[in-house]
Amino acid sequence: NAGVTQTPKFQVLKTGQSMTLQCAQDMNHEYMSWYRQDPGMGLRLIHYSVGAGITDQGEVPNGYNVSRSTTEDFPLRLLSAAPSQTSVYFCASSRLGRTEDGYTFGSGTRLTVV
Amino acid sequence: ELKVEQNPLFLSMQEGKNYTIYCNYSTTSDRLYWYRQDPGKSLESLFVLLSNGAVKQEGRLMASLDTKARLSTLHITAAVHDLSATYFCAAHNNNDMRFGAGTRLTVKP
């Protein structure tokens, strides 16, 4: 049981480049989400999805796109990278509803935009 | 808008001592989470608190929730070095989970 798998683990981009961060889960979780973690600010929600074909914006969605074509996958796209997007990105999944299960987080992607 | 404040942000403890981390949130939340993060690692779920008065314990850590005061606490009993990490609380409402800034705990011998 792999849980939540994120790729790549590290990435360096030049300003203006685009890329996709991959996230896959094998727990049949309905809910998937993307967070960014910056020093001293905790984690901030970028986008989330409650099921295939359904996505919504979180706290800091600008500059990012998502789609959810399957239950398992939830890729995050940076359309035109900016230095302000340098961060550690975490994907997380969970069952829907008031469950006592916590969110399961991936191992993270450390992105540097130069 | 749901906002979460944690304090203290930094905590240096002696082994064997007790301490409490506080987590306040600004609006209605349907559940409260506590997570642990080791340096360079992902987040590990510690506790999920669903209702007023909920108390959960695991080893030297105990979490509680007071929904009327919009306050959760994480109490550390007889700290040991292995508890050194950053601890986050997160309040959840309507598919939106907001995190506190984290408490960096260092336990010294």
Side-chain angles (χ1 to χ4, degrees):
Chain A
N1 193 346
V4 178
T5 302
Q6 284 184 240
T7 57
K9 293 191 184 301
F10 302 92
Q11 183 71 49
V12 179
L13 286 180
K14 293 183 178 179
T15 298
Q17 286 185 318
S18 63
M19 80 160 294
T20 300
L21 280 63
Q22 301 291 344
C23 176
Q25 54 93 7
D26 61 359
M27 298 170 286
N28 204 31
H29 284 168
E30 302 95 336
Y31 182 91
M32 296 184 74
S33 55
W34 278 100
Y35 289 84
R36 60 177 289 173
Q37 184 176 27
D38 300 301
M41 299 187 72
L43 280 76
R44 291 182 292 169
L45 180 64
I46 304 171
H47 285 285
Y48 66 91
S49 168
V50 297
I54 306 170
T55 64
D56 208 344
Q57 296 181 353
E59 188 181 358
V60 288
N62 293 339
Y64 307 95
N65 276 358
V66 292
S67 60
R68 183 107 178 259
S69 57
T70 67
T71 301
E72 295 78 19
D73 299 299
F74 191 45
L76 178 71
R77 296 182 187 84
L78 282 70
L79 304 176
S80 179
S84 61
Q85 294 178 304
T86 294
S87 189
V88 180
Y89 292 85
F90 288 99
C91 178
S93 73
S94 75
R95 291 191 292 144
L96 279 178
R98 293 186 80 240
T99 167
E100 292 206 351
D101 297 337
Y103 283 42
T104 301
F105 282 82
S107 57
T109 296
R110 187 174 295 271
L111 176 67
T112 303
V113 183
V114 298
Chain B
E1 182 182 346
L2 180 57
K3 294 186 178 180
V4 180
E5 288 190 3
Q6 261 181 262
N7 67 84
L9 298 183
F10 298 93
L11 178 55
S12 181
M13 298 176 62
Q14 292 282 333
E15 278 191 334
K17 299 292 187 182
N18 304 332
Y19 210 84
T20 300
I21 300 170
Y22 297 88
C23 175
N24 290 91
Y25 55 97
S26 60
T27 65
T28 301
S29 171
D30 58 18
R31 69 199 88 151
L32 195 292
Y33 297 87
W34 285 95
Y35 292 92
R36 168 180 171 144
Q37 186 179 39
D38 292 300
K41 302 294 185 181
S42 186
L43 281 77
E44 172 191 359
S45 179
L46 295 174
F47 302 109
V48 181
L49 304 168
L50 296 180
S51 58
N52 187 44
V55 177
K56 290 197 173 179
Q57 183 164 3
E58 180 72 32
R60 300 175 188 273
L61 301 178
M62 183 174 70
S64 65
L65 179 62
D66 180 344
T67 59
K68 295 179 181 178
R70 295 178 181 159
L71 170 69
S72 180
T73 61
L74 181 67
H75 186 72
I76 302 156
T77 301
V80 293
H81 179 70
D82 285 352
L83 290 179
S84 296
T86 298
Y87 293 85
F88 292 95
C89 68
H92 182 282
N93 189 37
N94 196 26
N95 294 317
D96 189 347
M97 184 163 64
R98 298 291 175 107
F99 282 77
T103 297
R104 183 176 295 181
L105 171 66
T106 304
V107 181
K108 299 182 176 180

